[in-house]
Amino acid sequence: MSKKNETALATNRKARHDYFIESTIEAGIELKGTEVKSLRQGKANLKDAYAEIKNGEVFIENMHISPYEQGNIFNSDPLRRRKLLLHRGEIRKLNKEITLKGYTLIPLKLYLNRGRVKVELAVARGKKLYDKRDSMAKKDAQRKIEQAMKEKYV
């Protein structure tokens, strides 16, 4: 996932807690000029964002990009719908995957790749409360094991 020429702009840290990630795909995103400047300042929020397919096109909803401070009249709505740039075959494949029960498209992170803003999009299935508790218990157990190993060898 992480490449040398990649700069993270925003991440959806809660996504891996709330969803089982089945697969990921990289997509371009259609932005206005001042949105790119605001993104470079790190003023984006993916917390409640999701993507949907409408009329053979993929759109990202509820992704908040704060208005650029020096942008005056050229700033756009922070929560506007933004089009994702994918090939037709990729869109068909995603559409097949999300028509299964309980699957959705969520953005995991926004990053710069060779000067272009990209979105890592995931096909995900929502976790139930008991799944979240199980994940937290596993992480806690692993943390205790690592701590015990560290103390043993110090």
Side-chain angles (χ1 to χ4, degrees):
M1 271 198 290
S2 177
K3 298 177 182 100
K4 284 185 180 180
N5 54 4
E6 186 178 292
T7 307
L9 300 173
T11 56
N12 190 350
R13 295 171 57 202
K14 196 113 169 106
R16 295 193 190 275
H17 180 263
D18 291 340
Y19 298 95
F20 292 113
I21 307 300
E22 300 294 327
S23 63
T24 61
I25 189 168
E26 179 182 78
I29 184 167
E30 191 175 82
L31 296 170
K32 307 260 172 146
T34 57
E35 288 177 329
V36 176
K37 292 181 179 188
S38 186
L39 278 174
R40 285 181 182 267
Q41 291 179 343
K43 295 188 176 179
N45 186 355
L46 295 173
K47 186 178 177 187
D48 298 325
Y50 63 95
E52 61 185 3
I53 300 174
K54 285 188 178 176
N55 300 327
E57 296 179 327
V58 183
F59 295 96
I60 193 164
E61 304 274 347
N62 285 347
M63 181 175 73
H64 187 275
I65 299 177
S66 298
Y68 184 58
E69 291 157 3
Q70 288 85 30
N72 59 37
I73 62 168
F74 299 109
N75 282 331
S76 57
D77 179 31
L79 289 173
R80 76 178 182 87
R81 170 188 285 178
R82 295 168 179 91
K83 184 177 177 180
L84 296 180
L85 308 173
L86 290 162
H87 293 284
R88 190 178 304 136
E90 293 172 328
I91 295 172
R92 279 195 206 116
K93 181 182 171 194
L94 287 175
N95 199 16
K96 283 180 186 175
E97 290 183 31
I98 65 169
T99 53
L100 296 173
K101 183 182 175 215
Y103 285 82
T104 187
L105 290 173
I106 55 167
L108 294 178
K109 70 177 178 177
L110 275 172
Y111 56 94
L112 281 174
N113 190 351
R114 289 186 263 148
R116 306 219 189 287
V117 178
K118 302 286 183 177
V119 178
E120 185 178 9
L121 202 62
V123 176
R125 182 171 42 97
K127 285 185 181 178
K128 305 283 188 232
L129 183 61
Y130 56 85
D131 291 327
K132 292 179 191 178
R133 287 182 185 151
D134 187 43
S135 295
M136 288 175 21
K138 284 180 183 176
K139 282 183 187 177
D140 191 40
Q142 185 64 31
R143 196 176 304 121
K144 286 180 181 178
I145 290 170
E146 288 174 4
Q147 188 177 16
M149 293 295 284
K150 185 179 177 183
E151 288 175 3
K152 182 179 177 182
Y153 293 110
V154 171

